Amino acid sequence: MLAGPGWLVERPVELDLVELEWAGDSPCYAFPAQVDVTGLLPLSDQGVRYRDYSRAVRDLVRPRLLENRLSYRLTGVAAGRGGGLRLRFGRTTFFEGFNLRQLLAHEFKRAWLVSGRATPRIADLPLRQAVGDPFDPERLLMSPGITTLTIRRGGIGEGASFVLHERDGGKVADGGGLCHPMPAGEFQPSSSAPEDVERDFSLWRNIMREYSEEFLGNPEHDGGGPRSIDYAHDEPFARFEAARGRGSFRVWHCGLVIEPLELNVQQLTVAVIDAPEYDELFEGVVAVNDEGWIVGQGDARHIPFTPDAIDRLEPRLSAGGLILLRLAWRHRRVILGG
């Protein structure tokens, strides 16, 4: 994983120290017009090239979850108060970012194969070359999802433990077969309704919805209900809010990273939940959800938060998941206290 200048905070900061600014209706992303990507797109069974990767994946892979939802687009990163970050966002869609990332990855693979599996030259990667600086949100379309490492802080005589999720390649559009911290998801509003786009412009509310879906198995909060979410009164959000207000559910932000192949940006966060609170909030945790399953069975679903456990799991982990676990361990005294 890579990080741009100022993308990683010196030490994890409380989630509220990450300031979000709304850029309004920022200009649409300008795809590099001088780059011909036709040859990167797959053929249909009729020999016609697909227009984009999202349509090809829908037809050929058929994952259960593949929707072109409105997403928040990162347009600026700056230092914020208290050692945190100030992030500016506008609008994009999931498919817009997904299609660009797939083109970048397949361009690299084609050049790698043509070169006899040697590292391609940048001149052989015209799309990547046109993007230029991958840390500049004006040059690269960025829609940074949120990956949250969930740590259960044990009581007396117990150590800390964490939860991992194995993504099912038959259900998700990317990352299938890899283990990843749980929950994780795109930074999106619950619907495209203007009131929801404004109300859901919150890292915490996005994280809460992912807990509801991935830990508790609730249907995806996609705006299909008769009204908007009332985070103060609807469950499980009211219980999450109360736990955070008591200080037994704390969330930390570690910054942003970018995956070098697809140039996919992620926000790295860590939730530390006291054992009694965790056990009550997630008493009904599901073993399998719409995106995969929790690693292990029974009590073994809690993986000891130790360097040995992280080392053993490394071959199965996504790159973003591994760097988040390493960062959390490095800063364990900050996030766990003491």
Side-chain angles (χ1 to χ4, degrees):
M1 302 296 283
L2 308 173
W7 279 25
L8 290 177
V9 295
E10 185 174 345
R11 51 187 275 172
V13 297
E14 294 270 11
L15 193 64
D16 290 341
L17 287 178
V18 178
E19 306 167 62
L20 304 186
E21 296 180 355
W22 182 243
D25 293 324
S26 52
C28 294
Y29 177 70
F31 189 89
Q34 72 276 24
V35 181
D36 181 10
V37 298
T38 306
L40 297 174
L41 293 165
L43 295 169
S44 71
D45 56 3
Q46 297 177 339
V48 178
R49 294 217 177 260
Y50 280 96
R51 297 189 306 271
D52 53 50
Y53 266 95
S54 56
R55 181 59 182 261
V57 169
R58 189 192 71 176
D59 289 354
L60 304 177
V61 183
R62 300 180 182 178
R64 186 180 181 278
L65 299 176
L66 185 66
E67 292 183 70
N68 193 23
R69 301 266 303 277
L70 187 148
S71 298
Y72 296 114
R73 173 187 169 190
L74 185 69
T75 62
V77 181
R81 58 188 173 86
L85 296 173
R86 189 167 69 251
L87 307 178
R88 187 185 312 112
F89 287 91
R91 301 170 189 256
T92 185
T93 64
F94 175 74
F95 280 2
E96 191 175 31
F98 178 75
N99 289 328
L100 176 61
R101 295 194 299 269
Q102 292 298 305
L103 286 168
L104 285 162
H106 284 82
E107 178 188 63
F108 188 94
K109 185 171 184 180
R110 182 179 68 177
W112 176 73
L113 290 171
V114 169
S115 66
R117 304 194 174 193
T119 302
R121 301 172 302 156
I122 191 66
D124 298 326
L125 305 169
L127 179 57
R128 191 171 298 255
Q129 189 173 32
V131 166
D133 183 357
F135 308 119
D136 182 355
E138 293 187 2
R139 300 293 300 273
L140 175 68
L141 175 63
M142 300 179 183
S143 179
I146 307 171
T147 296
T148 303
L149 171 64
T150 302
I151 297 179
R152 178 184 181 273
R153 185 166 63 176
I156 297 174
E158 284 187 294
S161 58
F162 64 96
V163 183
L164 272 187
H165 190 225
E166 184 161 343
R167 294 170 62 79
D168 185 341
K171 295 181 177 180
V172 295
D174 57 4
L178 292 174
C179 291
H180 199 64
M182 179 177 165
E186 300 295 316
F187 184 28
Q188 300 173 325
S190 57
S191 84
S192 58
E195 59 271 23
D196 287 336
V197 173
E198 179 179 356
R199 182 184 297 109
D200 294 341
F201 186 46
S202 159
L203 301 180
W204 169 235
R205 288 182 172 179
N206 203 99
I207 291 170
M208 283 197 293
R209 294 200 308 273
E210 294 296 337
Y211 271 113
S212 174
E213 294 163 9
E214 294 189 16
F215 273 69
L216 300 178
N218 290 321
E220 187 158 353
H221 300 284
D222 58 1
R227 60 176 177 80
S228 298
I229 298 170
D230 182 348
Y231 291 94
H233 299 97
D234 291 349
E235 295 295 354
F237 310 109
R239 286 183 289 136
F240 293 156
E241 292 277 16
R244 192 167 179 230
R246 289 190 292 270
S248 54
F249 190 147
R250 301 181 71 183
V251 186
W252 305 84
H253 200 286
C254 300
L256 300 98
V257 293
I258 186 169
E259 188 271 331
L261 180 62
E262 296 185 1
L263 299 184
N264 184 27
V265 180
Q266 300 176 34
Q267 299 182 71
L268 303 181
T269 63
V270 182
V272 177
I273 310 173
D274 291 347
E277 193 77 73
Y278 180 97
D279 295 344
E280 183 174 343
L281 288 174
F282 301 122
E283 180 182 8
V285 65
V286 296
V288 178
N289 59 35
D290 282 346
E291 298 183 14
W293 51 87
I294 298 178
V295 174
Q297 297 179 342
D299 292 340
R301 289 206 295 262
H302 294 290
I303 300 169
F305 184 48
T306 65
D308 289 343
I310 298 170
D311 288 343
R312 287 197 305 272
L313 287 162
E314 181 171 347
R316 299 176 61 188
L317 290 168
S318 64
L322 177 61
I323 194 67
L324 179 52
L325 276 161
R326 297 284 189 208
L327 284 171
W329 179 256
R330 181 187 304 170
H331 298 290
R332 60 192 179 280
R333 290 183 177 84
V334 175
I335 61 176
L336 294 176

